[in-house]
Amino acid sequence: MSISTISNNITRLLKEIADLRHKKSLESKKENAAKEKILSIQKTITKNTSLTTLNSKMSEISRKEKEASDSQSKQADFDKKLADKEGRLLKERQALAKAENVKQKKLEAFEKKRQREQLDFQRKLKQEISRVEPSYQSIDTVSDNEKYDFFISHASEDKEEFVKPLAETLESMGIRVWYDEFSLKVGDSLTKSIDQGLINSKFGVIVLSKAFMKKQWTNYEFKSLVSREMHHGEKVILPIWHEISKNDVMAFSPHLADKVALNSLTQTIEEIASDLKDVLQ
């Protein structure tokens, strides 16, 4: 049984117990009221009370005694129901504690697995860096005066709907953006231009989407940015989740899943652009 189901059962039982206690309290008040009425009637009976009046008062006392007895019976019935409900509540709470313990162990196992995957990713990444990094050594870099603020890595499927409007919004804010439509010219070497953009940008904005994760070219850009980040030991990659979940990101890269990301599902393009601008400041 799930924790949610057990919690719902506990909530329901607590309500039922509260209702039973309230009903028992009402019956207790009825019992006390009946007994008080009996005492009140008894005080009015004297040696001068006529037989007719006496019979009437005794009948009234008899009715009140029955009311008190009925209330006592109902309270006893409520006590039985309360004992049953409280017993079930105890079992549900024990079940909840057990379920939460199982969940905690699963979370701990998942965290250990994630850490192993992270270590494995870092090992593979170092191997990839050794392959990618030499290509940088043959490219002229501009270390003191970077040409771009952001390099936008994205899949072409996301261009029209999200990436291009984002790049245009950033440029309208006076931010220097390496974006293929803005930066590539006829005759340019695609590989060299992208490598120069990757090297000469302060940050790499990665628009993570399902299409991005399937592309070899975006994977090359991503690995290149990771290489820069690890080589310089400072933040370079700024991820944007575009219509994906944390599980999607975790499956693609535990390294990226650990990073605070912007999200196109919860933020407007203007809000994302503003948050990116804040990074520069």
Side-chain angles (χ1 to χ4, degrees):
M1 192 178 297
S2 69
I3 289 177
S4 176
T5 301
I6 298 172
S7 296
N8 288 338
N9 289 343
I10 289 174
T11 300
R12 176 176 53 79
L13 284 168
L14 287 171
K15 180 183 178 302
E16 291 173 355
I17 288 170
D19 288 342
L20 286 170
R21 286 175 176 166
H22 178 65
K23 291 175 182 178
K24 180 184 175 183
S25 175
L26 293 177
E27 290 301 327
S28 177
K29 289 179 181 178
K30 289 180 182 179
E31 178 190 359
N32 291 334
K35 288 180 177 179
E36 288 176 1
K37 185 65 175 176
I38 291 170
L39 290 174
S40 176
I41 295 171
Q42 287 174 341
K43 288 179 180 179
T44 64
I45 299 174
T46 66
K47 61 181 181 179
N48 296 322
T49 302
S50 66
L51 182 59
T52 302
T53 302
L54 179 61
N55 289 336
S56 176
K57 290 182 181 294
M58 292 304 294
S59 295
E60 181 67 13
I61 288 173
S62 179
R63 286 195 298 272
K64 292 301 176 183
E65 286 176 340
K66 186 176 184 309
E67 287 180 12
S69 177
D70 289 344
S71 292
Q72 288 175 344
S73 296
K74 289 180 180 179
Q75 289 177 70
D77 184 54
F78 288 141
D79 282 334
K80 290 180 182 178
K81 290 179 179 179
L82 279 168
D84 176 65
K85 299 287 184 185
E86 288 169 348
R88 289 165 60 186
L89 178 62
L90 176 61
K91 290 181 179 179
E92 291 290 349
R93 282 176 167 162
Q94 291 171 340
L96 179 61
K98 184 177 179 180
E100 287 177 338
N101 185 48
V102 170
K103 180 181 178 181
Q104 182 61 32
K105 288 182 178 179
K106 287 182 179 179
L107 287 173
E108 290 172 357
F110 175 80
E111 179 60 22
K112 289 180 181 178
K113 180 182 177 183
R114 189 194 67 78
Q115 290 175 356
R116 289 197 300 270
E117 290 175 345
Q118 181 75 4
L119 290 173
D120 185 56
F121 171 80
Q122 291 175 352
R123 178 181 59 78
K124 291 179 179 178
L125 186 60
K126 288 178 181 178
Q127 294 174 352
E128 190 66 24
I129 288 172
S130 64
R131 183 184 69 82
V132 175
E133 215 166 31
S135 66
Y136 285 172
Q137 297 171 0
S138 62
I139 300 173
D140 294 330
T141 62
V142 184
S143 58
D144 296 330
N145 183 25
E146 285 120 328
K147 185 176 178 182
Y148 303 104
D149 294 311
F150 297 126
F151 177 97
I152 302 182
S153 177
H154 66 285
S156 58
E157 289 85 346
D158 305 317
K159 186 184 297 291
E160 291 302 319
E161 177 188 356
F162 178 74
V163 182
K164 186 175 181 179
L166 175 62
E168 290 172 343
T169 303
L170 289 169
E171 287 238 321
S172 71
M173 294 177 171
I175 296 171
R176 297 164 296 176
V177 178
W178 195 101
Y179 171 63
D180 53 11
E181 288 191 13
F182 298 166
S183 306
L184 293 175
K185 298 178 179 61
V186 175
D188 283 351
S189 166
L190 185 61
T191 303
K192 185 174 181 180
S193 296
I194 289 177
D195 282 344
Q196 288 177 336
L198 287 165
I199 294 171
N200 298 331
S201 297
K202 293 179 183 177
F203 298 99
V205 175
I206 294 181
V207 181
L208 282 167
S209 67
K210 291 184 178 179
F212 181 99
M213 296 173 183
K214 297 176 182 177
K215 301 280 184 176
Q216 290 185 354
W217 195 258
T218 53
N219 196 39
Y220 169 79
E221 294 173 350
F222 166 56
K223 289 177 180 177
S224 299
L225 288 168
V226 172
S227 174
R228 270 193 58 195
E229 194 165 69
M230 293 191 69
H231 180 74
H232 295 292
E234 57 186 22
K235 179 173 67 177
V236 174
I237 297 172
L238 306 177
I240 300 174
W241 294 5
H242 182 53
E243 299 179 350
I244 55 173
S245 67
K246 187 174 182 65
N247 288 337
D248 294 326
V249 181
M250 179 65 75
F252 175 69
S253 167
H255 175 75
L256 282 179
D258 276 343
K259 284 182 172 288
V260 175
L262 302 174
N263 195 322
S264 66
L265 291 176
T266 59
Q267 295 175 279
T268 65
I269 289 175
E270 290 79 10
E271 288 172 340
I272 290 174
S274 177
D275 286 345
L276 290 173
K277 183 178 181 181
D278 288 344
V279 175
L280 296 176
Q281 298 171 349

